[in-house]
Amino acid sequence: MMKWRKESALDLYNLAAAIFLLAAPWLFVQANPTAAIDLRISGAAIAVMSLAAIVAFSIWEEWINLFVGCWLIASPWLLGFTHTRAMHFAIAAGAVVAFMALLELWLEYEKTHLGPAAPQAVERH
């Protein structure tokens, strides 16, 4: 049975962004074929990683979401669909996904490395 973590809410947000990415070529963006494929593949990758992180969290899932979010930000220039609605959608979704992944990575780092404040030493006289 899976245990719900507070940070899993961020994975739900990434899952919502993935659903929008998957639906974007049909609903919002009159995308060229390259942009449509990019949005669908990126959305599917984010959805799979977010669901995996919800079911059985591992830090590498967040690193992949961070990579895919950064890819979405850079892909309009790398794949040649600049100055389109698809470009703006890819950049916005990529920024959201990358931010959520970075936030979850930071929260995990803080939990494991910084932890609760160490109790102060008691002075003995």
Side-chain angles (χ1 to χ4, degrees):
M1 185 173 183
M2 77 178 203
K3 181 180 175 187
W4 182 260
R5 303 169 22 255
K6 290 186 290 187
E7 295 85 4
S8 292
L10 298 172
D11 293 315
L12 287 175
Y13 294 138
N14 271 345
L15 186 59
I19 291 169
F20 280 119
L21 280 169
L22 288 168
W26 295 290
L27 298 177
F28 307 115
V29 181
Q30 297 297 326
N32 66 31
T34 304
I37 290 169
D38 180 42
L39 294 175
R40 287 183 192 129
I41 291 174
S42 298
I46 293 166
V48 167
M49 289 299 108
S50 297
L51 285 171
I54 291 169
V55 173
F57 177 77
S58 185
I59 200 80
W60 61 268
E61 295 152 347
E62 298 309 319
W63 284 106
I64 291 176
N65 269 348
L66 176 61
F67 172 76
V68 175
C70 291
W71 164 256
L72 280 168
I73 293 169
S75 67
W77 291 276
L78 297 173
L79 298 178
F81 59 93
T82 55
H83 307 296
T84 63
R85 240 185 285 164
M87 174 187 135
H88 301 293
F89 197 81
I91 291 171
V96 167
V97 169
F99 175 75
M100 293 297 165
L102 277 173
L103 183 58
E104 190 159 356
L105 285 168
W106 168 251
L107 291 172
E108 284 300 315
Y109 175 83
E110 185 179 44
K111 187 183 346 176
T112 58
H113 290 84
L114 303 179
Q120 294 184 7
V122 178
E123 290 184 31
R124 293 186 182 188
H125 293 266

